[in-house]
Amino acid sequence: MLRICGKEVPAPRLTAWHGERGCHYRYSGRLHLPAPWTPTLEYLRRRIEETTGQRFNAVLANLYRDGRDGVGWHADNERELGPDPVVASISLGAPRRFRFRSKDRTRRLDMMLEHGSLLLMAEGTQTAWEHCLPRSTRAVGMRVNLTFRRVVETG
């Protein structure tokens, strides 16, 4: 369950939080304590850091079981991530449509995230844009999304 606008709602996907010790993460009324890095997640983190030149100390793993799982409009702008967070997102499994809209609602961008794609939401993205993974009524397979982040306020 998540707390959104003061109401308890079912989680729209399954999640796991991994990272360095002390990288606590709070969103939607839940505090996530980090599980240790697995060898696979550590390998992926190093590859992403080499590719992007960014440094990450945690990852939110999301499992979207089918098209009924999704996530609404939001920005990854929690206090723990600092004033201008960078998020690197790897998509594995079924392709899904991913949407951006400017916070002033004047611009939109849709893209298809294919298996193996890497999306870097660089500086300015979380402050100026919101994003979502809409639900789908058509048959959609399972998808794992790994969102690597840098927690700057550790607990």
Side-chain angles (χ1 to χ4, degrees), residues 14-144:
L14 302 178
T15 63
W17 178 248
H18 291 262
E20 295 172 7
R21 181 179 295 193
C23 287
H24 302 165
Y25 186 49
R26 181 179 300 279
Y27 73 92
S28 298
R30 292 182 58 200
L31 176 64
H32 298 268
L33 304 177
W37 289 102
T38 67
T40 301
L41 290 174
E42 179 65 33
Y43 170 79
L44 291 171
R45 174 174 71 151
R46 294 291 172 227
R47 291 289 311 272
I48 290 169
E49 289 178 342
E50 291 168 6
T51 301
T52 65
Q54 299 289 325
R55 294 289 169 247
F56 302 101
N57 58 10
V59 62
L60 181 64
N62 300 290
L63 173 63
Y64 298 91
R65 296 161 286 198
D66 56 31
R68 292 173 293 192
D69 285 352
V71 64
W73 290 107
H74 70 284
D76 297 322
N77 57 1
E78 291 78 18
R79 178 180 51 84
E80 296 92 337
L81 303 179
D84 198 6
V86 173
V87 177
S89 172
I90 296 177
S91 296
L92 303 168
R96 288 288 294 267
R97 185 166 53 111
F98 191 73
R99 305 182 79 188
F100 285 99
R101 71 178 178 196
S102 60
K103 287 189 176 179
D104 66 8
R105 310 265 175 105
T106 62
R107 295 172 287 164
R108 284 186 177 253
L109 174 66
D110 286 14
M111 63 181 61
M112 187 62 72
L113 296 179
E114 301 288 342
H115 173 72
S117 64
L118 170 63
L119 171 66
L120 181 66
M121 292 183 273
E123 292 89 352
T125 304
Q126 305 304 326
T127 56
W129 295 84
E130 296 177 318
H131 55 275
C132 74
L133 185 82
R135 290 177 173 84
S136 175
T137 56
R138 65 180 180 80
V140 176
M142 193 177 297
R143 173 181 184 264
V144 172

